[in-house]
Amino acid sequence: MDIQLDLPVQNISLHEIDVRGDAHRLSFGRSIEPLVESLRRIGLIQPVLLCPGEEKRFVILSGFRRLEAWTALGRDRIPCRALDRPFNALERLEIAFWENLVHRGFNPAEKARAVERFLKITDEETVIKRILPALALHPHRRELDRMLKIADSHDKVLEELVTGRISAESVIFLHEFPERYREAVFSFLLCLNLNLNRQKEMLETLLDLSLRDGVSAEELTRHEEIQAVLNNEILSTPQKAERIREMLKARLHPRLTQAEEIFRDRLHGLGLPKSIRVRHAPSFETENLQLTVELKDLQELRRSLRLLEDPRVECGFDALFRLALDPSDEK
């Protein structure tokens, strides 16, 4: 595609520019306020790029946000570079893509949008081999499917993806739920303000419970016990999140939860100091226990060793090992 970009800058009337089409607009989740302030202070450094369109009006190839910010300042003419010939849909998208990629890159939502829009006007192989690598994405059909799920998400979800409050993995996993319940699940996730790892765990728990019990994820999140925790003004948000996590986990894995409670009770009964911590393997996947001892001096080491050799403590550890070996066998 032969494009002459060393064209003179022209001040073109906003009335001559067609702003209706956005098939090759790739920006998302970027406020124009900083751009407005920049234009107010130092003017437009990078002119808008146009090409001839229909009805003797110009089409924007790159610079949608610059045009919006310029319009917000009340200006009626904007510095532009106008190409000398029209371009088809794929060419327009190519120009917009590479121009933006070079100058500012793309956030996660914009990457997904770019992939989706290329796929509408060209074949999958081209998108996988040319566009995905350019976006630093793995050139594979699976990655293509991931991007399409993100692009198919509600704007509210994409906005939180851009801010970092929700992970790309969580956005993709939301598509495991029926579409009519996704908004409720998404809102529930935001209320808990979970870190990115906990988000995936919470979504998996909700989905597993929904499939096993034959209830919607929305119904699970609106259960009176869950709502009581969310409305508890005494608990902090992390405390609410942890309590709800434990509640849902207990519902999904009642026997495992019971075994963990027995483990905690037995451990507490040993009366170990805070400097000695004992943990079982996650979900009792192995019978191993992890013992951690924090020591500040040699005297504390000796005290800890004597304590661990106490027959009562040894007996308690034996019970912990038996529980870790077969948590389902405990009454």
Side-chain angles (χ1 to χ4, degrees):
M1 180 169 47
D2 182 24
I3 303 175
Q4 182 183 356
L5 293 178
D6 57 341
L7 297 168
V9 177
Q10 309 174 50
N11 285 316
I12 295 178
S13 170
L14 299 183
H15 298 294
E16 298 179 59
I17 302 174
D18 186 356
V19 297
R20 295 170 298 178
D22 65 348
H24 48 276
R25 177 171 186 161
L26 301 175
S27 60
F28 182 90
R30 299 177 185 267
S31 170
I32 67 167
E33 293 306 317
L35 186 53
V36 169
E37 185 61 23
S38 173
L39 294 179
R40 182 183 289 114
R41 290 177 177 271
I42 62 175
L44 184 62
I45 298 176
Q46 181 71 19
V48 174
L49 185 62
L50 308 174
C51 76
E54 299 177 353
E55 301 175 359
K56 297 183 179 180
R57 303 179 76 189
F58 291 104
V59 173
I60 306 172
L61 296 180
S62 178
F64 286 90
R65 292 176 61 252
R66 280 167 273 168
L67 182 65
E68 288 178 359
W70 197 257
T71 303
L73 291 173
R75 312 288 174 81
D76 58 358
R77 304 183 74 85
I78 184 170
C80 303
R81 283 193 172 93
L83 301 179
D84 58 358
R85 67 178 178 87
F87 293 86
N88 62 39
L90 180 57
E91 290 173 328
R92 292 178 184 180
L93 186 57
E94 288 262 10
I95 294 170
F97 177 77
W98 293 106
E99 199 270 350
N100 281 287
L101 186 65
V102 170
H103 284 95
R104 61 171 174 80
F106 296 108
N107 62 42
E110 291 169 338
K111 288 184 178 184
R113 174 176 283 191
V115 169
E116 178 193 44
R117 294 194 170 176
F118 269 110
L119 197 58
K120 288 181 178 179
I121 53 180
T122 190
D123 59 276
E124 287 187 3
E125 185 177 0
T126 297
V127 176
I128 291 173
K129 290 185 175 181
R130 293 188 62 240
I131 305 305
L132 293 184
L135 294 170
L137 299 172
H138 186 59
H140 194 277
R141 174 57 194 264
R142 181 173 55 195
E143 191 68 50
L144 178 66
D145 291 339
R146 286 163 50 85
M147 289 298 103
L148 292 178
K149 286 181 179 178
I150 293 176
D152 188 46
S153 301
H154 193 281
D155 281 359
K156 291 181 180 179
V157 176
L158 295 180
E159 287 166 5
E160 298 301 339
L161 172 63
V162 172
T163 64
R165 287 192 65 197
I166 187 170
S167 69
E169 291 300 320
S170 295
V171 173
I172 293 166
F173 198 91
L174 280 171
H175 285 74
E176 299 294 325
F177 297 89
E179 185 175 359
R180 62 185 180 277
Y181 300 132
R182 289 176 198 165
E183 184 175 355
V185 174
F186 167 69
S187 299
F188 177 69
L189 207 60
L190 286 189
C191 282
L192 300 179
N193 197 28
L194 300 167
N195 64 39
L196 302 188
N197 290 331
R198 288 293 197 204
Q199 286 177 13
K200 184 73 179 299
E201 179 190 79
M202 180 63 71
L203 291 173
E204 289 175 343
T205 300
L206 287 172
L207 183 63
D208 289 345
L209 276 171
S210 176
L211 294 174
R212 190 197 69 182
D213 296 350
V215 297
S216 72
E218 182 177 19
E219 185 178 344
L220 290 170
T221 63
R222 297 188 184 281
H223 191 278
E224 59 182 359
E225 292 183 355
I226 299 293
Q227 290 300 310
V229 174
L230 290 175
N231 295 326
N232 190 321
E233 297 180 356
I234 298 176
L235 298 175
S236 66
T237 299
Q239 289 172 328
K240 292 177 182 180
E242 186 58 27
R243 187 164 297 187
I244 290 173
R245 174 177 173 267
E246 292 297 329
M247 291 168 61
L248 293 174
K249 182 179 175 182
R251 179 169 174 174
L252 182 61
H253 304 292
R255 301 180 76 176
L256 174 60
T257 302
Q258 181 185 26
E260 289 180 337
E261 290 176 355
I262 294 172
F263 186 91
R264 285 195 296 267
D265 290 343
R266 289 184 176 177
L267 184 59
H268 180 72
L270 293 179
L272 298 175
K274 292 182 178 179
S275 59
I276 299 178
R277 293 191 294 273
V278 183
R279 297 184 177 90
H280 61 75
S283 302
F284 294 101
E285 292 173 353
T286 71
E287 66 272 21
N288 297 336
L289 299 180
Q290 182 184 66
L291 176 68
T292 305
V293 183
E294 291 186 6
L295 303 169
K296 61 182 179 182
D297 54 36
L298 192 58
Q299 296 286 354
E300 190 167 1
L301 171 61
R302 291 176 179 143
R303 286 195 297 270
S304 297
L305 291 175
R306 285 196 299 269
L307 177 61
L308 293 172
E309 291 176 348
D310 184 288
R312 184 187 64 84
V313 174
E314 287 186 353
C315 182
F317 265 97
D318 182 57
L320 292 178
F321 275 115
R322 283 189 281 106
L323 178 59
L325 180 63
D326 188 4
S328 64
D329 192 43
E330 289 297 323
K331 304 298 182 183

